[in-house]
Amino acid sequence: MSRIEAKPYWEFIRFCMDAQQQVPESIEKMDWEKLFLFMKQQALTGVGFQGIERLKENHVDVPRALLLRWYALSEKIKARNIYMDKCCVELAGLLAKDGFRSCVLKGQGNTLFYPDPYVRSSGDIDIFVMSDEGMGIKERRRVVLNYVRKKFPQTRIRYQHIDFPVFKDVEVEMHFIPTAKNNPVYNYRIQQWVEKQMPRQCANIVCLPDGVGTIPVPTDEFNLVYQMSHMMHHFFDEGIGLRQMMDYYYLLRKANDELIMDNGQLRMTLRYLNLYQFAGAVMYVMREVFGLEEKMMIVPVDERRGKTLMDEILKGGNFGKHSGLTQHSTGVKYFLKIRRNMRFVREYPAEALCEPWFRTWHFFWRLWNQ
């Protein structure tokens, strides 16, 4: 799908998000099945149903069969969010009881950015875990690894996290580090930056909707950098979709509403961590898809990189699941990823050139640490 073909979908997304917006003219010629498929691929079905309900109020004729399917899916998303909230509270309580401080990354913390916390499509639970302040990454990894494998000996480990299958129907990833970069210099920098930030993040307690309980989540200041790094990491891994971009849009609005942003300091941090150029691409998506005002942007729009990012979003959908890349075997995928990421050398040389090296190193690191 081209950017021109996608514009009616972007108009619909803005209509869904803003109750003050008028029904877009493109609705008259909308292919409803294609719209539904697009919203599913981008994991925006719950948000989309808000718009569908408003279309009914404006006497727009939506096919009844589609309406029922969309309604059923939106109710599943709501029920899943309620359940995920309960799981997060239970998980944080379990870790606290066992002597760990924790912080729920993204996920159910991000639902709190939304006007309706039950419309965001939930995924797994990512939770950062630490025991003693001042403990280095290697020691923290060892402590967490021993804790998990006493309960679940065969769990899978990655550079950033280890699986913690404490729930039968919810994937949990316990993080030693919240994020990583392909380039070793910038990876070192972001790990040092993170280490200084995490004690405060583990102490930032918020209340989940409807009195479910409380969980620790990152501060908005931390999220502005961390979630940008997370999106960039996935951009080079398999892909990134509009759900993560929408999370960041609502984060930006919240940060602006609460007047917490120091753009000068934030830009210095983004430059130091090699996130500045990617942030310019993200601002392009913020403007084109969500209509974010320029005064809320953390860096200037980078149109060239932004168009590349948008093309990848349209091609792959949520986490690149619809690009065709993820369906291949590990060996084939290894070379397809190299070919894909070499297209980004001009725009992000430090990350693109180091990605094959990092992935190869990570493969042998996993074998050694299994």
Side-chain angles (χ1 to χ4, degrees):
M1 178 184 296
S2 69
R3 294 188 297 273
I4 293 176
E5 291 172 325
K7 282 190 176 181
Y9 301 152
W10 302 345
E11 292 174 357
F12 176 72
I13 289 171
R14 289 195 291 272
F15 172 74
C16 296
M17 297 168 67
D18 185 357
Q20 304 304 314
Q21 283 220 12
Q22 299 297 313
V23 176
E25 293 181 6
S26 55
I27 285 293
E28 294 181 10
K29 299 180 181 179
M30 185 64 72
D31 185 319
W32 294 104
E33 286 294 337
K34 287 185 178 179
L35 173 66
F36 182 64
L37 178 61
F38 176 83
M39 299 299 280
K40 280 185 67 177
Q41 289 178 342
Q42 297 294 340
L44 296 179
T45 315
V47 175
F49 190 70
Q50 294 182 124
I52 292 295
E53 288 186 304
R54 286 180 51 221
L55 287 177
K56 288 170 54 187
E57 294 169 4
N58 284 272
H59 309 292
V60 175
D61 187 23
V62 180
R64 180 171 174 76
L66 179 72
L67 184 66
L68 292 175
R69 285 161 56 202
W70 210 320
Y71 169 76
L73 194 50
S74 69
E75 286 297 300
K76 286 183 179 179
I77 290 169
K78 179 178 179 179
R80 183 69 174 178
N81 271 306
I82 293 171
Y83 179 63
M84 292 288 283
D85 283 348
K86 293 177 180 178
C87 288
C88 284
V89 172
E90 183 179 337
L91 178 61
L94 170 66
L95 293 172
K97 180 182 176 182
D98 290 342
F100 291 98
R101 301 176 67 190
S102 65
C103 179
V104 176
L105 305 169
K106 311 183 307 299
Q108 297 313 107
N110 280 3
T111 64
L112 302 177
F113 303 155
Y114 287 62
D116 182 344
Y118 296 134
V119 299
R120 181 185 183 273
S121 294
S122 58
D124 55 12
I125 298 176
D126 295 88
I127 189 163
F128 173 84
V129 179
M130 62 187 297
S131 51
D132 300 323
E133 286 191 33
M135 179 181 287
I137 295 173
K138 289 185 179 179
E139 180 64 13
R140 181 164 63 244
R141 183 182 284 115
R142 184 188 65 79
V143 170
V144 174
L145 182 61
N146 289 341
Y147 170 76
V148 172
R149 291 214 161 140
K150 282 182 180 178
K151 297 176 181 289
F152 307 102
Q154 302 301 318
T155 49
R156 182 185 62 169
I157 188 173
R158 295 290 184 268
Y159 176 63
Q160 296 185 45
H161 57 77
I162 184 170
D163 291 350
F164 188 47
V166 66
F167 303 115
K168 290 183 178 181
D169 49 359
V170 176
E171 291 185 13
V172 177
E173 296 177 351
M174 285 180 60
H175 281 251
F176 325 114
I177 55 176
T179 186
K181 296 185 71 65
N182 296 321
N183 182 281
V185 173
Y186 293 115
N187 188 51
Y188 175 80
R189 287 185 182 183
I190 203 165
Q191 300 314 329
Q192 295 301 303
W193 180 82
V194 163
E195 289 300 298
K196 295 176 182 177
Q197 304 287 331
M198 289 317 297
R200 184 184 172 200
Q201 312 313 310
C202 293
N204 187 50
I205 309 299
V206 298
C207 296
L208 292 175
D210 298 323
V212 171
T214 61
I215 58 171
V217 300
T219 62
D220 293 342
E221 298 97 320
F222 180 84
N223 268 328
L224 287 167
V225 176
Y226 158 63
Q227 295 203 28
M228 185 66 70
S229 176
H230 173 74
M231 289 190 293
M232 187 174 185
H233 180 78
H234 274 287
F235 174 74
F236 282 99
D237 185 14
E238 291 175 340
I240 197 75
L242 285 180
R243 183 190 68 172
Q244 291 72 36
M245 294 291 160
M246 185 175 288
D247 287 351
Y248 206 83
Y249 168 82
Y250 279 122
L251 170 62
L252 285 171
R253 294 200 66 92
K254 183 172 183 286
N256 274 277
D257 289 346
E258 297 179 0
L259 302 175
I260 66 163
M261 288 207 308
D262 177 351
N263 270 10
Q265 181 60 48
L266 178 57
R267 289 180 183 184
M268 286 178 59
T269 302
L270 293 173
R271 286 187 187 277
Y272 180 70
L273 301 177
N274 196 34
L275 296 169
Y276 189 89
Q277 293 173 329
F278 186 74
V282 171
M283 293 306 106
Y284 173 85
V285 177
M286 295 295 114
R287 184 187 72 188
E288 296 297 307
V289 177
F290 306 117
L292 184 71
E293 303 96 314
E294 186 176 347
K295 65 181 181 180
M296 293 190 180
M297 295 186 180
I298 55 177
V299 301
V301 169
D302 187 326
E303 291 219 7
R304 178 169 63 86
R305 291 183 175 88
K307 288 176 181 178
T308 299
L309 174 59
M310 184 72 79
D311 289 342
E312 292 299 307
I313 288 172
L314 293 175
K315 184 193 304 181
N318 190 46
F319 287 134
K321 293 176 182 178
H322 304 280
S323 65
L325 181 65
T326 58
Q327 284 74 35
H328 292 281
S329 65
T330 302
V332 173
K333 190 160 56 175
Y334 177 85
F335 292 102
L336 289 176
K337 278 189 177 182
I338 291 176
R339 187 176 70 176
R340 173 184 179 270
N341 288 325
M342 287 305 101
R343 294 190 286 112
F344 308 136
V345 169
R346 182 182 168 210
E347 294 165 332
Y348 309 103
E351 285 296 291
L353 290 171
C354 289
E355 195 277 335
W357 173 88
F358 176 82
R359 191 149 39 89
T360 303
W361 170 85
H362 187 213
F363 173 79
F364 289 105
W365 183 92
R366 291 201 317 268
L367 291 178
W368 180 261
N369 287 277
Q370 282 294 355

mmCIF file of all heavy atoms in Angstrom, residues 145 149 153-158 162 363-370:
data_model
loop_
_atom_site.group_PDB
_atom_site.id
_atom_site.type_symbol
_atom_site.label_atom_id
_atom_site.label_comp_id
_atom_site.label_asym_id
_atom_site.label_seq_id
_atom_site.Cartn_x
_atom_site.Cartn_y
_atom_site.Cartn_z
ATOM 1 N N LEU A 145 18.095 -14.571 36.373
ATOM 2 C CA LEU A 145 18.145 -15.865 35.698
ATOM 3 C C LEU A 145 18.000 -17.012 36.691
ATOM 4 O O LEU A 145 17.221 -17.952 36.474
ATOM 5 C CB LEU A 145 19.471 -15.990 34.946
ATOM 6 C CG LEU A 145 19.707 -17.267 34.140
ATOM 7 C CD1 LEU A 145 18.661 -17.429 33.052
ATOM 8 C CD2 LEU A 145 21.105 -17.257 33.533
ATOM 9 N N ARG A 149 14.790 -19.602 36.670
ATOM 10 C CA ARG A 149 15.039 -21.005 36.321
ATOM 11 C C ARG A 149 14.840 -21.960 37.485
ATOM 12 O O ARG A 149 14.727 -23.163 37.281
ATOM 13 C CB ARG A 149 16.435 -21.132 35.722
ATOM 14 C CG ARG A 149 16.496 -20.460 34.346
ATOM 15 C CD ARG A 149 17.419 -21.157 33.407
ATOM 16 N NE ARG A 149 17.120 -20.798 32.028
ATOM 17 C CZ ARG A 149 18.039 -20.577 31.095
ATOM 18 N NH1 ARG A 149 19.325 -20.671 31.413
ATOM 19 N NH2 ARG A 149 17.683 -20.293 29.867
ATOM 20 N N PRO A 153 12.775 -24.196 34.593
ATOM 21 C CA PRO A 153 14.143 -24.487 34.147
ATOM 22 C C PRO A 153 14.380 -24.332 32.645
ATOM 23 O O PRO A 153 15.515 -24.088 32.229
ATOM 24 C CB PRO A 153 14.346 -25.949 34.577
ATOM 25 C CG PRO A 153 13.348 -26.179 35.661
ATOM 26 C CD PRO A 153 12.171 -25.336 35.308
ATOM 27 N N GLN A 154 13.366 -24.494 31.823
ATOM 28 C CA GLN A 154 13.577 -24.525 30.372
ATOM 29 C C GLN A 154 13.225 -23.215 29.678
ATOM 30 O O GLN A 154 13.021 -23.191 28.461
ATOM 31 C CB GLN A 154 12.735 -25.659 29.766
ATOM 32 C CG GLN A 154 13.033 -27.032 30.327
ATOM 33 C CD GLN A 154 14.489 -27.438 30.128
ATOM 34 O OE1 GLN A 154 15.076 -27.205 29.066
ATOM 35 N NE2 GLN A 154 15.090 -28.026 31.160
ATOM 36 N N THR A 155 13.166 -22.130 30.402
ATOM 37 C CA THR A 155 12.729 -20.874 29.788
ATOM 38 C C THR A 155 13.769 -20.322 28.828
ATOM 39 O O THR A 155 14.964 -20.532 28.968
ATOM 40 C CB THR A 155 12.435 -19.810 30.861
ATOM 41 O OG1 THR A 155 13.527 -19.755 31.768
ATOM 42 C CG2 THR A 155 11.176 -20.128 31.607
ATOM 43 N N ARG A 156 13.281 -19.552 27.860
ATOM 44 C CA ARG A 156 14.107 -18.979 26.797
ATOM 45 C C ARG A 156 14.716 -17.661 27.260
ATOM 46 O O ARG A 156 14.043 -16.822 27.848
ATOM 47 C CB ARG A 156 13.231 -18.736 25.567
ATOM 48 C CG ARG A 156 13.937 -18.193 24.357
ATOM 49 C CD ARG A 156 12.930 -17.892 23.252
ATOM 50 N NE ARG A 156 11.974 -16.871 23.669
ATOM 51 C CZ ARG A 156 11.123 -16.264 22.842
ATOM 52 N NH1 ARG A 156 11.090 -16.624 21.571
ATOM 53 N NH2 ARG A 156 10.281 -15.351 23.287
ATOM 54 N N ILE A 157 15.995 -17.451 26.967
ATOM 55 C CA ILE A 157 16.672 -16.226 27.354
ATOM 56 C C ILE A 157 17.069 -15.437 26.114
ATOM 57 O O ILE A 157 17.401 -16.009 25.073
ATOM 58 C CB ILE A 157 17.917 -16.521 28.238
ATOM 59 C CG1 ILE A 157 18.507 -15.218 28.795
ATOM 60 C CG2 ILE A 157 18.961 -17.299 27.463
ATOM 61 C CD1 ILE A 157 19.612 -15.432 29.804
ATOM 62 N N ARG A 158 17.005 -14.115 26.213
ATOM 63 C CA ARG A 158 17.489 -13.190 25.199
ATOM 64 C C ARG A 158 18.395 -12.162 25.879
ATOM 65 O O ARG A 158 18.468 -12.105 27.100
ATOM 66 C CB ARG A 158 16.317 -12.471 24.502
ATOM 67 C CG ARG A 158 15.419 -13.401 23.690
ATOM 68 C CD ARG A 158 16.145 -13.896 22.451
ATOM 69 N NE ARG A 158 15.284 -14.710 21.590
ATOM 70 C CZ ARG A 158 15.178 -16.029 21.652
ATOM 71 N NH1 ARG A 158 15.869 -16.703 22.581
ATOM 72 N NH2 ARG A 158 14.404 -16.693 20.823
ATOM 73 N N ILE A 162 14.330 -12.575 29.861
ATOM 74 C CA ILE A 162 14.097 -14.014 29.928
ATOM 75 C C ILE A 162 12.599 -14.242 30.080
ATOM 76 O O ILE A 162 11.898 -13.462 30.755
ATOM 77 C CB ILE A 162 14.867 -14.657 31.112
ATOM 78 C CG1 ILE A 162 14.700 -16.184 31.103
ATOM 79 C CG2 ILE A 162 14.449 -14.064 32.450
ATOM 80 C CD1 ILE A 162 15.611 -16.909 32.079
ATOM 81 N N PHE A 363 23.101 -14.488 18.552
ATOM 82 C CA PHE A 363 22.800 -15.899 18.311
ATOM 83 C C PHE A 363 23.727 -16.790 19.142
ATOM 84 O O PHE A 363 23.277 -17.712 19.842
ATOM 85 C CB PHE A 363 22.945 -16.217 16.817
ATOM 86 C CG PHE A 363 22.807 -17.677 16.494
ATOM 87 C CD1 PHE A 363 21.558 -18.275 16.423
ATOM 88 C CD2 PHE A 363 23.935 -18.464 16.260
ATOM 89 C CE1 PHE A 363 21.421 -19.625 16.134
ATOM 90 C CE2 PHE A 363 23.809 -19.819 15.968
ATOM 91 C CZ PHE A 363 22.551 -20.400 15.900
ATOM 92 N N PHE A 364 25.028 -16.511 19.097
ATOM 93 C CA PHE A 364 25.984 -17.331 19.845
ATOM 94 C C PHE A 364 25.902 -17.047 21.345
ATOM 95 O O PHE A 364 26.103 -17.957 22.157
ATOM 96 C CB PHE A 364 27.399 -17.094 19.316
ATOM 97 C CG PHE A 364 27.616 -17.685 17.950
ATOM 98 C CD1 PHE A 364 27.672 -16.868 16.831
ATOM 99 C CD2 PHE A 364 27.727 -19.058 17.778
ATOM 100 C CE1 PHE A 364 27.853 -17.408 15.565
ATOM 101 C CE2 PHE A 364 27.902 -19.614 16.516
ATOM 102 C CZ PHE A 364 27.969 -18.784 15.410
ATOM 103 N N TRP A 365 25.564 -15.810 21.697
ATOM 104 C CA TRP A 365 25.381 -15.471 23.115
ATOM 105 C C TRP A 365 24.240 -16.285 23.712
ATOM 106 O O TRP A 365 24.342 -16.795 24.822
ATOM 107 C CB TRP A 365 25.106 -13.971 23.249
ATOM 108 C CG TRP A 365 24.964 -13.489 24.661
ATOM 109 C CD1 TRP A 365 25.947 -13.005 25.467
ATOM 110 C CD2 TRP A 365 23.753 -13.450 25.441
ATOM 111 N NE1 TRP A 365 25.434 -12.650 26.695
ATOM 112 C CE2 TRP A 365 24.080 -12.924 26.711
ATOM 113 C CE3 TRP A 365 22.430 -13.801 25.195
ATOM 114 C CZ2 TRP A 365 23.145 -12.731 27.721
ATOM 115 C CZ3 TRP A 365 21.489 -13.622 26.188
ATOM 116 C CH2 TRP A 365 21.851 -13.095 27.438
ATOM 117 N N ARG A 366 23.149 -16.438 22.956
ATOM 118 C CA ARG A 366 22.003 -17.223 23.438
ATOM 119 C C ARG A 366 22.392 -18.686 23.617
ATOM 120 O O ARG A 366 21.985 -19.323 24.589
ATOM 121 C CB ARG A 366 20.819 -17.105 22.479
ATOM 122 C CG ARG A 366 20.184 -15.734 22.450
ATOM 123 C CD ARG A 366 18.757 -15.788 21.924
ATOM 124 N NE ARG A 366 18.579 -16.642 20.771
ATOM 125 C CZ ARG A 366 18.653 -16.252 19.513
ATOM 126 N NH1 ARG A 366 18.940 -14.995 19.243
ATOM 127 N NH2 ARG A 366 18.457 -17.099 18.532
ATOM 128 N N LEU A 367 23.127 -19.225 22.655
ATOM 129 C CA LEU A 367 23.555 -20.617 22.763
ATOM 130 C C LEU A 367 24.402 -20.835 24.023
ATOM 131 O O LEU A 367 24.274 -21.847 24.715
ATOM 132 C CB LEU A 367 24.356 -21.025 21.524
ATOM 133 C CG LEU A 367 23.584 -21.128 20.197
ATOM 134 C CD1 LEU A 367 24.546 -21.505 19.074
ATOM 135 C CD2 LEU A 367 22.464 -22.152 20.301
ATOM 136 N N TRP A 368 25.256 -19.895 24.306
ATOM 137 C CA TRP A 368 26.154 -19.992 25.463
ATOM 138 C C TRP A 368 25.385 -19.896 26.789
ATOM 139 O O TRP A 368 25.725 -20.528 27.776
ATOM 140 C CB TRP A 368 27.203 -18.905 25.376
ATOM 141 C CG TRP A 368 28.195 -18.915 26.523
ATOM 142 C CD1 TRP A 368 28.176 -18.128 27.632
ATOM 143 C CD2 TRP A 368 29.332 -19.783 26.668
ATOM 144 N NE1 TRP A 368 29.211 -18.420 28.457
ATOM 145 C CE2 TRP A 368 29.945 -19.444 27.897
ATOM 146 C CE3 TRP A 368 29.879 -20.800 25.898
ATOM 147 C CZ2 TRP A 368 31.091 -20.093 28.364
ATOM 148 C CZ3 TRP A 368 31.012 -21.436 26.342
ATOM 149 C CH2 TRP A 368 31.597 -21.077 27.554
ATOM 150 N N ASN A 369 24.320 -19.083 26.775
ATOM 151 C CA ASN A 369 23.608 -18.787 28.024
ATOM 152 C C ASN A 369 22.330 -19.605 28.212
ATOM 153 O O ASN A 369 21.633 -19.414 29.216
ATOM 154 C CB ASN A 369 23.265 -17.298 28.095
ATOM 155 C CG ASN A 369 24.474 -16.435 28.361
ATOM 156 O OD1 ASN A 369 24.882 -16.262 29.514
ATOM 157 N ND2 ASN A 369 25.073 -15.905 27.303
ATOM 158 N N GLN A 370 21.995 -20.478 27.278
ATOM 159 C CA GLN A 370 20.776 -21.268 27.440
ATOM 160 C C GLN A 370 20.883 -22.227 28.625
ATOM 161 O O GLN A 370 21.908 -22.778 28.883
ATOM 162 C CB GLN A 370 20.480 -22.061 26.169
ATOM 163 C CG GLN A 370 19.861 -21.199 25.068
ATOM 164 C CD GLN A 370 18.486 -20.671 25.407
ATOM 165 O OE1 GLN A 370 17.902 -20.998 26.438
ATOM 166 N NE2 GLN A 370 17.950 -19.813 24.556
#
